[in-house]
Amino acid sequence: MKEDVLVARGLRKAYGDRVAVHEVSLELRAGEVLGLLGPNGAGKSTTVGMICGLTVPDAGTVTLSGGVSLASDEAGYKRRIGLVPQDIALYEELPARMNVELFGNLYGMAPELLKRRADEVLAMVGLSDRAKDKPSTFSGGMKRRLNIACALIHDPEIILLDEPTAGVDPQSRNAIFDNLEMLKRAGKALIYTTHYMEEAERLADRLVIIDHGRVVASGTQAQLFALLPAAQTLHVEIDGEPNDAALQGLAGFPDVRRVGQRLDVSVADIGRDAGAVLAALAQRGVRVRGLASARATLEDVFLSLTGRQLRD
C-alpha cells in the first residue's frame, strides 16, 4: 500500500442556507490519480478549493504527510500543492515564460532554479517554441497547457486539476493525458475532476463520486462496477415486435428495454444468464436473430448513483 500524502476528513462548506459540501472525506496516495466526479453543482470545485487552501472550510481538516496542515505551516503546505483551476488563470499580455516565472517567484524560487524549471515545464507541455509569445495569441488548448506549466513550476508533490481539458481539442487533450501519466510515473499524486467519464476511466486509479455535496461512492473502478445490480447488457435482435407486457419480468430479469427490434436485458453474468434469457424468449414464441453483449460503463455507474435528472 502506497503512503497517503493527503488526507481530508469531514470537509464542510455552506453559503448561507445552501450546503455546498457536507462531510466529504478522501485520501490521496503517492503515484496515483484520484478521480473526483459529480454532476454540476455537486461540490467538486468547492472541495478542491478547500484542499488547496483557497476556500476556508466551515468544518473538517486536510493534512499532508508528515502532519503538515494549513494551520501548522501554511507556506509549507501550499508549496507542496500545485493547482490547475477550472477557469484559465494567466496574464494574457505577458509572454508565456514570464507567466511561468511569475508563479515561480510567488513561491520564492531561486533565480537559477527558476530558469531551469521554466525550461523543463515549458518543454513538458510542448510550448518551448512559444515561450516568448503572449497567451492572448494562444489557442484554448495551448492556454490549458500553459496553465499546467504554471502549476508545476515549483515541482509540487500533489497536483489538483479542476476540469483541465474543458474546451480543448482531442490533440491537446491527449497531450495533457500524456503529461499527467508521466507525472504519475514520477510519483506525483493527482486529484482530477472531470465531467468526461472516458477521461476518468483512462486516468483514475480510484474514484470518489459526490452528489449534493456528499460522497455517494468511492473505490477502484472494479469496486464501483460491483455496486451495479447488473454489470452487463445482453443485446438480443428479434423478429417482430412482441407485446411489452409479455416481456415484463422476463426470466427474472426486471430491466428489459425494447429498442425497435432489439431487446436490451441487464444481467449480472453473461455466461450464466444468457441461456435463461434465450429460454424465456423461446417460451414466449420470440424468434432470436442475433445476440451481442456489452459491459457496463463508468457512465452507467455514475448515472445509477446520481440519477438522470438535469442539473443546473
Side-chain angles (χ1 to χ4, degrees):
M1 182 69 69
K2 294 179 180 178
E3 176 191 8
D4 287 338
V5 296
L6 182 151
V7 176
R9 287 286 177 261
L11 291 178
R12 185 184 190 278
K13 185 65 180 179
Y15 297 97
D17 294 332
R18 185 177 70 86
V19 179
V21 173
H22 184 79
E23 297 295 324
V24 166
S25 297
L26 55 85
E27 303 85 30
L28 178 64
R29 298 165 189 157
E32 80 164 355
V33 178
L34 179 68
L36 185 60
L37 308 181
N40 288 333
K44 301 185 299 298
S45 293
T46 303
T47 299
V48 168
M50 287 189 284
I51 290 172
C52 72
L54 290 178
T55 301
V56 179
D58 298 331
T61 61
V62 184
T63 307
L64 307 187
S65 57
V68 176
S69 67
L70 282 166
S72 68
D73 181 4
E74 181 176 355
Y77 180 100
K78 290 185 175 180
R79 276 195 298 269
R80 294 172 65 180
I81 292 177
L83 172 66
V84 181
Q86 186 178 104
D87 296 322
I88 291 173
L90 299 169
Y91 291 92
E92 295 276 345
E93 296 306 317
L94 289 181
R97 186 183 184 89
M98 288 186 66
N99 267 275
V100 172
E101 290 178 342
L102 174 60
F103 282 91
N105 279 313
L106 293 175
Y107 287 99
M109 295 177 66
E112 285 299 316
L113 175 60
L114 179 56
K115 181 179 183 304
R116 176 169 59 81
R117 283 293 298 165
D119 290 338
E120 290 173 355
V121 296
L122 286 169
M124 191 188 89
V125 300
L127 291 174
S128 294
D129 61 338
R130 301 296 300 271
K132 296 181 180 180
D133 296 338
K134 298 176 181 179
S136 58
T137 68
F138 287 2
S139 67
M142 293 168 68
K143 290 180 181 180
R144 290 283 178 191
R145 282 150 46 204
L146 182 57
N147 235 22
I148 292 173
C150 292
L152 297 177
I153 183 63
H154 60 297
D155 196 23
E157 65 182 286
I158 299 164
I159 304 154
L160 311 178
L161 303 109
D162 195 0
E163 299 188 38
T165 63
V168 306
D169 58 35
Q171 289 82 2
S172 288
R173 179 175 285 116
N174 276 289
I176 290 171
F177 291 165
D178 290 343
N179 293 155
L180 302 186
E181 288 166 342
M182 182 180 70
L183 290 166
K184 174 183 168 180
R185 289 193 298 271
K188 304 297 185 184
L190 295 84
I191 294 179
Y192 190 96
T193 83
T194 182
H195 284 117
Y196 301 115
M197 296 297 117
E198 68 276 11
E199 291 188 2
E201 284 189 293
R202 171 175 171 172
L203 295 171
D205 300 289
R206 292 185 301 117
L207 296 158
V208 173
I209 299 178
I210 63 175
D211 194 19
H212 300 296
R214 298 176 183 269
V215 174
V216 296
S218 64
T220 64
Q221 293 187 41
Q223 289 169 332
L224 294 187
F225 281 123
L227 298 176
L228 286 173
Q232 296 172 297
T233 300
L234 195 64
H235 301 295
V236 186
E237 298 290 339
I238 60 175
D239 279 333
E241 296 186 3
N243 189 296
D244 286 343
L247 300 175
Q248 291 181 359
L250 176 67
F253 302 102
D255 188 7
V256 180
R257 302 174 299 283
R258 183 162 62 83
V259 184
Q261 290 185 292
R262 188 189 79 219
L263 300 179
D264 291 342
V265 186
S266 296
V267 298
D269 186 311
I270 290 287
R272 183 192 66 202
D273 298 331
V277 171
L278 295 176
L281 291 172
Q283 288 175 357
R284 289 166 166 78
V286 178
R287 296 184 59 187
V288 174
R289 294 190 291 110
L291 193 66
S293 65
R295 76 173 183 88
T297 66
L298 186 57
E299 183 171 324
D300 295 323
V301 176
F302 182 83
L303 292 174
S304 173
L305 292 168
T306 64
R308 295 177 179 270
Q309 184 177 358
L310 292 175
R311 308 296 178 90
D312 293 328

